[in-house]
Amino acid sequence: MSAEYTIAADKLRATVRVTMSGFFGMGDVQAFASDLSITLANMDTKPNEHLMLCDLRQMKIQPQETVAAFGNLAATAAFQSRRLAVITGKSLVRTQAMRLTDRRRVSFFDTVDSAERWLLERQSQ
C-alpha cells in the first residue's frame, strides 16, 4: 500500500485533522510537510495555537529512515500544535508514534471520538 494522507483544516475550531495510511518514503514525507505547511499558513490562528488530530490507524510500520524524517518534522517548531491527539488504535504503530513525540500536550487514543473529546474539552485551556 502506497502512502496516502489528507489534511483538513477547521478554522472555526482552530483544528487540523490529518489522516495517514500506507508506507511513506522520503518523498512522501516531504510532500506531506509541504502540504501541512501550506495548511498551517492559512489557519486563522497565531503560530502553534492550533489543535491537531492525527489518525494513524491505517499506517503501516515505517522504515527507520521514515520514522526519523517524521521525528524531525514533529520536532520542528513551526509544525507543533497547542495540543496533539494521535489515534493509533492498538498496534505497533503506536510505539513508533510515541517515540516521535517527546513533548507535553500529546495524548494517544484508540478512537476518533475519544481523541476529539480530549482536544475540544481542553480547547479553552
Side-chain angles (χ1 to χ4, degrees):
M1 172 185 264
S2 61
E4 294 183 17
Y5 63 88
T6 60
I7 303 171
D10 179 343
K11 291 183 180 184
L12 184 63
R13 292 183 173 174
T15 303
V16 175
R17 183 182 189 132
V18 174
T19 304
M20 304 175 89
S21 63
F23 291 103
F24 280 69
M26 296 308 292
D28 301 314
V29 175
Q30 291 170 346
F32 171 76
S34 176
D35 290 344
L36 181 58
S37 180
I38 291 167
T39 298
L40 294 176
N42 290 315
M43 292 292 291
D44 294 332
T45 61
K46 294 178 183 176
N48 310 106
E49 286 298 312
H50 65 284
L51 304 171
M52 185 173 287
L53 185 146
C54 293
D55 187 343
L56 308 180
R57 291 175 295 172
Q58 298 302 311
M59 286 284 282
K60 303 297 181 193
I61 298 297
Q62 302 295 313
Q64 288 302 329
E65 177 182 58
T66 301
V67 173
F70 276 122
N72 290 335
L73 184 64
T76 302
F79 292 115
Q80 291 185 4
S81 58
R82 186 164 36 111
R83 286 194 175 75
L84 171 62
V86 182
I87 308 161
T88 58
K90 296 179 181 179
S91 71
L92 293 175
V93 171
R94 179 181 292 239
T95 303
Q96 282 190 327
M98 291 176 89
R99 290 182 195 144
L100 298 178
T101 54
D102 185 26
R103 62 185 177 101
R104 297 176 355 159
R105 298 170 300 196
V106 177
S107 287
F108 292 83
F109 300 90
D110 295 330
T111 67
V112 173
D113 289 342
S114 60
E116 287 177 340
R117 195 167 33 255
W118 179 80
L119 276 179
L120 298 177
E121 284 176 357
R122 290 165 174 78
Q123 188 170 17
S124 63
Q125 295 179 0

